[in-house]
Amino acid sequence: MLGLDVGGTGMKGAIFDHGMRSLDTVRRDTPRADGPPAVLDAMADTLLALDRMAARRGLSVHHAGVVVPGIVDEDRQRAVWSANIGWRDLPLAALMEARTGLRVTLGHDVRAGGVAEGALGAARAAANVLFVAIGTGIAAALVCDGKAIRSGGYAGELGHIAVESGGVSCACGNSGCLETVASATAVATAYTVRTGRTVTGAAEVAALTAQGDPVARAVWKRAADGLADALTIATSLLAPELIVLGGGLAEADRLLLDPVRTGLEERLTFQRRPAIVRARLGDQAGCIGAGLAAWQAAGHIAATRRTGASTP
């Protein structure tokens, strides 16, 4: 099986065997600045590259799982909308099948990541989990008993909760959204705006924060406070027992988790207090979730576990 996770910045693809072991991987940039047609071309090219890699191993690909950001209607297999990529109401699974000749199942990147963390990662022991991916954008997945809540594809848009009155305009059309404060892009942009110094990304701001840079610390605190505000709302509504933070910003580990834990604790009163942990699968969660979706769609999970087959 193939898994492809399409993010606002990069794509991560892999060939998986029946045990969800990655046999080979590929990473490419997402050409979102060139518009949706260029992104579609890159997606198809990446799937075909993975298919060729599998063939060189003497393996036949049965199915491909593709997960993307934004609003995804899994029932209709359509990408309804994405603020970061710009497409609207695309029959994305059908388009990828036509371009690659592969059977394709479309899913949502963060819901897929949440299912992967529940099946193989940090949330294996929890029944009610909020998985939050903090990257180019921010989204969440509520996973109950191993199943992600979809609500027609609209569930989980945590990044578009307004946390800053009169804040920066968001690609969604609102202003002050969590994405404009706490996404990896927002963190890097805020530091550059305040200092005039261009940074390579949020990881550099995290490193400067750890070194005591006052501007970096202010930017980082703003992001952590915004996350705590949004997670307070989510906790009040959903009462998760566990919150799993993933995506690029969570790679900072305790530098992010500690102030978010403290901020959430200060904001909650009567609500159940969830544990907050870092995602175990790192930035591979979405790709692994795509692979899981492909196995499930192809109906091979139960069969391969019984027979021990290793065909991807």
Side-chain angles (χ1 to χ4, degrees):
M1 293 295 161
L2 305 182
L4 178 62
D5 177 12
V6 181
T9 302
M11 301 182 188
K12 295 174 282 291
I15 304 166
F16 294 104
D17 68 9
H18 72 284
M20 289 309 298
R21 290 181 293 268
S22 174
L23 303 177
D24 222 333
T25 62
V26 64
R27 287 175 179 258
R28 294 182 173 178
D29 292 337
T30 300
R32 63 174 179 146
D34 298 326
V39 176
L40 293 175
D41 289 343
M43 290 168 62
D45 288 346
T46 304
L47 286 173
L48 290 170
L50 288 165
D51 190 33
R52 290 192 296 269
M53 291 160 65
R56 286 196 291 270
R57 289 175 170 269
L59 302 171
S60 298
V61 173
H62 290 296
H63 213 97
V66 175
V67 298
V68 299
I71 306 300
V72 178
D73 187 333
E74 284 97 334
D75 292 335
R76 295 192 303 139
Q77 290 289 280
R78 298 181 78 91
V80 177
W81 175 73
S82 171
N84 289 320
I85 295 180
W87 53 41
R88 287 182 179 272
D89 201 29
L90 287 182
L92 194 49
L95 287 172
M96 287 299 104
E97 288 183 344
R99 291 182 181 218
T100 65
L102 298 168
R103 286 177 291 173
V104 175
T105 293
L106 178 67
H108 184 263
D109 57 351
V110 177
R111 284 195 288 275
V115 169
E117 286 289 345
L120 303 167
R124 293 181 71 172
N128 302 292
V129 180
L130 185 70
F131 171 70
V132 183
I134 312 164
T136 306
I138 299 175
L142 177 65
V143 179
C144 296
D145 298 325
K147 296 186 69 174
I149 304 303
R150 295 178 180 176
S151 294
Y154 286 85
E157 290 297 324
L158 189 74
H160 298 290
I161 289 177
V163 297
E164 197 171 75
S165 178
V168 176
S169 295
C170 180
C172 76
N174 202 349
S175 61
C177 292
L178 180 63
E179 276 193 13
T180 69
V181 172
S183 68
T185 302
V187 167
T189 299
Y191 185 83
T192 296
V193 168
R194 293 188 186 198
T195 65
R197 173 187 167 188
T198 301
V199 291
T200 56
E204 187 175 346
V205 180
L208 290 166
T209 300
Q211 295 165 14
D213 181 304
V215 177
R217 291 179 68 177
V219 168
W220 200 260
K221 182 180 185 303
R222 175 175 175 250
D225 285 346
L227 281 164
D229 285 338
L231 291 177
T232 299
I233 294 170
T235 298
S236 298
L237 289 172
L238 305 171
E241 61 191 280
L242 179 67
I243 295 174
V244 179
L245 298 185
L249 214 66
E251 295 298 304
D253 202 7
R254 290 187 60 181
L255 189 69
L256 179 70
L257 268 64
D258 284 353
V260 172
R261 286 184 184 120
T262 299
L264 185 59
E265 179 66 25
E266 290 172 346
R267 288 162 173 77
L268 296 178
T269 54
F270 67 91
Q271 300 93 330
R272 173 162 70 174
R273 283 159 166 73
I276 300 180
V277 300
R278 180 183 170 191
R280 189 172 297 166
L281 301 178
D283 67 356
Q284 288 295 308
C287 186
I288 293 170
L292 285 169
W295 278 111
Q296 185 175 29
H300 285 305
I301 290 180
T304 52
R305 284 178 179 170
R306 284 196 302 269
T307 64
S310 60
T311 309

